[in-house]
Amino acid sequence: MKKIWISGADGQLGTELCLLFSDSKTFEIYPTSIKDIDLINSASVQDFSQKNNFDIIINCAAYTAVDLAESNQELNWKVNVDAVESLAQCADKINALLIHISTDFVFDGSSTQALKESDLTNPLQEYGRAKLAGEAFVQKGIVIRTSWLYSPYGNNFVKTMLRLGREKEQINVVANQIGTPTCAEDLAKLIYTMCQDEEIHTKLGLYHYSNEGVASWYDFAQSIMEYAELSCAVFPIPDTGYPTPAKRPAFSVMDKSKVKERFQINIPYWRTSLKSCIQKIKENESRN
């Protein structure tokens, strides 16, 4: 039975991974959050990894407060760079596969075509710069860049829109930033597929993953209201109408050809996964 450490297990992706792996007879998971292991403390990371001798380390932990990262640069760097370096060193020592999650924010948004793994990076904000620096330490593992992640768990755009949709009659949402929403459950399924792959050590490297399709934040919000059957009206605005401390890329649609070819997966369309997620949120709310 393979032993898997899931760091950041209480986040969106970590929660989905724990749900997915919990029924497996092939894997034994060791989920941790900052309450269990502080990834900034390299000694704790080394002790935990060597004591358990993991086969796979999945790093879902990250400092994801994009705007706060502009002022909290030290913490942003420690979590998104230094902790990744520690995990990579530990994975190397115990000969474990490290799967690390990165972001579309490593790009500046100047492209007009779906972004490939080989395209030049140029992050516009401190968060993206730290995530890009963290990627560089995963030389013998897998890095997955994803975008606009959401799930029924934690805080995310979908849950924010659902709250606003119930509280307000109308909202304004940015329409000139283009990307693709990604359901955390779908990303978790990809990672599960990777962990099952007996040839995984021949497929190391960088991959792009999001759901299929293209959307603006306005499109995303409109669909959330539609699927949740909320009457809140959504109006499109330019990003100049909603200034933020951190700049966002204007275009970050990613090309998924590489991951689809290497792992023979079918990626769901973003609206299909969104509809399913909103149904799960409704079911969770009805049980509480």
Side-chain angles (χ1 to χ4, degrees):
M1 184 174 283
K2 290 184 179 179
K3 299 168 76 172
I4 299 182
W5 175 13
I6 302 174
S7 66
D10 56 343
Q12 295 187 80
L13 180 58
T15 300
E16 293 285 8
L17 283 167
C18 289
L19 289 170
L20 200 56
F21 278 99
S22 61
D23 293 330
S24 172
K25 295 178 181 178
T26 310
F27 303 105
E28 181 181 4
I29 61 169
Y30 293 70
T32 67
S33 68
I34 193 170
K35 298 171 188 175
D36 308 301
I37 302 290
D38 184 358
L39 298 183
I40 295 174
N41 186 329
S42 59
S44 295
V45 171
Q46 287 181 28
D47 180 61
F48 185 67
S49 61
Q50 291 178 343
K51 182 172 68 177
N52 292 288
N53 198 31
F54 297 108
D55 298 288
I56 301 170
I57 300 172
I58 306 172
N59 183 34
C60 304
Y63 184 89
T64 57
V66 176
D67 290 319
L68 290 176
E70 294 297 301
S71 52
N72 293 345
Q73 293 180 22
E74 184 178 359
L75 180 58
N76 171 48
W77 197 265
K78 283 182 177 179
V79 177
N80 290 331
V81 185
D82 296 344
V84 182
E85 182 181 13
S86 291
L87 287 169
Q89 289 173 348
C90 289
D92 194 35
K93 284 181 181 177
I94 62 175
N95 197 29
L97 169 67
L98 174 60
I99 300 175
H100 173 65
I101 310 303
S102 192
T103 175
D104 60 325
F105 276 34
V106 299
F107 296 106
D108 63 13
S110 60
S111 176
T112 56
Q113 296 183 328
L115 294 151
K116 296 179 182 292
E117 290 84 353
S118 56
D119 286 337
L120 291 176
T121 54
N122 184 32
L124 301 173
Q125 70 298 110
E126 290 300 319
Y127 168 70
R129 284 188 274 274
K131 291 297 287 183
L132 182 61
E135 289 182 8
F137 289 108
V138 190
Q139 295 292 323
K140 299 178 183 178
I142 289 175
V143 173
I144 305 171
R145 290 179 183 151
T146 193
S147 63
W148 302 19
L149 200 66
Y150 68 90
S151 79
Y153 315 103
N155 298 315
N156 53 65
F157 184 78
V158 171
K159 295 181 83 172
T160 298
M161 290 299 106
L162 289 174
R163 177 178 58 79
L164 292 176
R166 291 162 181 154
E167 295 174 353
K168 298 180 178 294
E169 293 183 359
Q170 63 182 55
I171 58 172
N172 298 327
V173 180
V174 170
N176 64 333
Q177 291 173 359
I178 309 299
T180 311
T182 305
C183 178
E185 181 181 1
D186 295 332
L187 177 54
K189 288 176 180 176
L190 166 66
I191 295 170
Y192 189 82
T193 298
M194 289 177 164
C195 292
Q196 287 182 308
D197 194 325
E198 295 298 329
E199 304 295 325
I200 191 64
H201 289 285
T202 68
K203 302 177 183 179
L204 305 182
L206 175 63
Y207 294 93
H208 285 176
Y209 183 90
S210 69
N211 281 119
E212 294 284 23
V214 177
S216 66
W217 290 106
Y218 165 74
D219 297 327
F220 196 8
Q222 279 273 52
S223 295
I224 293 166
M225 300 305 171
E226 177 188 342
Y227 296 145
E229 299 178 324
L230 295 171
S231 58
C232 178
V234 183
F235 294 99
I237 60 168
D239 55 0
T240 53
Y242 187 74
T244 56
K247 292 182 180 179
R248 270 72 170 168
F251 181 91
S252 62
V253 177
M254 295 187 291
D255 185 307
K256 278 87 66 175
S257 300
K258 182 179 175 182
V259 75
K260 287 191 284 189
E261 179 184 338
R262 293 272 181 94
F263 295 97
Q264 298 297 299
I265 58 167
N266 293 313
I267 301 177
Y269 184 57
W270 72 268
R271 290 182 192 272
T272 304
S273 292
L274 174 62
K275 193 172 185 178
S276 175
C277 179
I278 288 176
Q279 183 59 38
K280 287 181 181 179
I281 291 173
K282 284 183 176 181
E283 291 170 0
N284 290 344
E285 288 173 345
S286 67
R287 285 195 290 265
N288 296 333

